[in-house]
Amino acid sequence: MNLLKIAEQSFAGEKKEFPAFKAGDTVTVSYRIKEGNKERIQDFKGDVIRVSGSEEKKRFTVRKMSGSVGVERIFPMDSPFIEKIAVTKYGKVRRAKLYYLRGLTGKKARIQERRVK
């Protein structure tokens, strides 16, 4: 047996359940931030640009516009600092990686909403 897998399994704590989402969806990630000896929860709301990795090592990139500047952040799914993930809107896209959004501004950068049953 692989020693690395055994070590990972022993350190794996309780798993948080998050809603299913994919690229194009708008999500709000509540992330716990430590500043000195204080802790607070900050919401990061934006579009999911990509979901990469597999099973426990899954990561997703969220992009938001802060004023006229685009801000991207990569969140690991197994991070203990993620409090919750809420899907605000389901997007209708044809690609798994939406890097082309980086070059678009205004109405061109909008993602059409997908109906969910």
Side-chain angles (χ1 to χ4, degrees), residues 11-37:
F11 287 115
E14 75 278 347
K15 301 254 182 190
K16 293 183 181 176
E17 290 297 319
F18 297 121
F21 59 89
K22 57 185 186 178
D25 296 346
T26 303
V27 296
T28 304
V29 181
S30 298
Y31 203 71
R32 196 168 349 117
I33 294 179
K34 245 185 189 175
E35 294 173 334
N37 57 358

Side-chain angles (χ1 to χ4, degrees), residues 21 25 27-35 40-52 58-66 69-77 79-83 85 99 102:
F21 59 89
D25 296 346
V27 296
T28 304
V29 181
S30 298
Y31 203 71
R32 196 168 349 117
I33 294 179
K34 245 185 189 175
E35 294 173 334
R40 64 185 177 89
I41 294 177
Q42 184 178 39
D43 289 342
F44 192 90
K45 181 179 179 179
D47 298 324
V48 177
I49 290 217
R50 72 176 183 156
V51 179
S52 60
K58 197 171 269 196
R59 311 169 289 294
F60 60 100
T61 305
V62 180
R63 178 180 174 85
K64 76 172 184 176
M65 293 302 290
S66 180
V69 179
V71 178
E72 290 185 13
R73 186 143 184 211
I74 301 170
F75 295 100
M77 283 287 229
S79 172
F81 296 109
I82 294 179
E83 289 296 314
I85 300 172
Y99 298 133
R102 293 174 177 163

Side-chain angles (χ1 to χ4, degrees), residues 102-117:
R102 293 174 177 163
L104 302 178
T105 57
K107 287 186 178 181
K108 293 178 185 176
R110 286 191 297 189
I111 296 174
Q112 192 177 15
E113 192 165 357
R114 161 174 58 101
R115 286 194 211 175
V116 180
K117 298 171 187 165

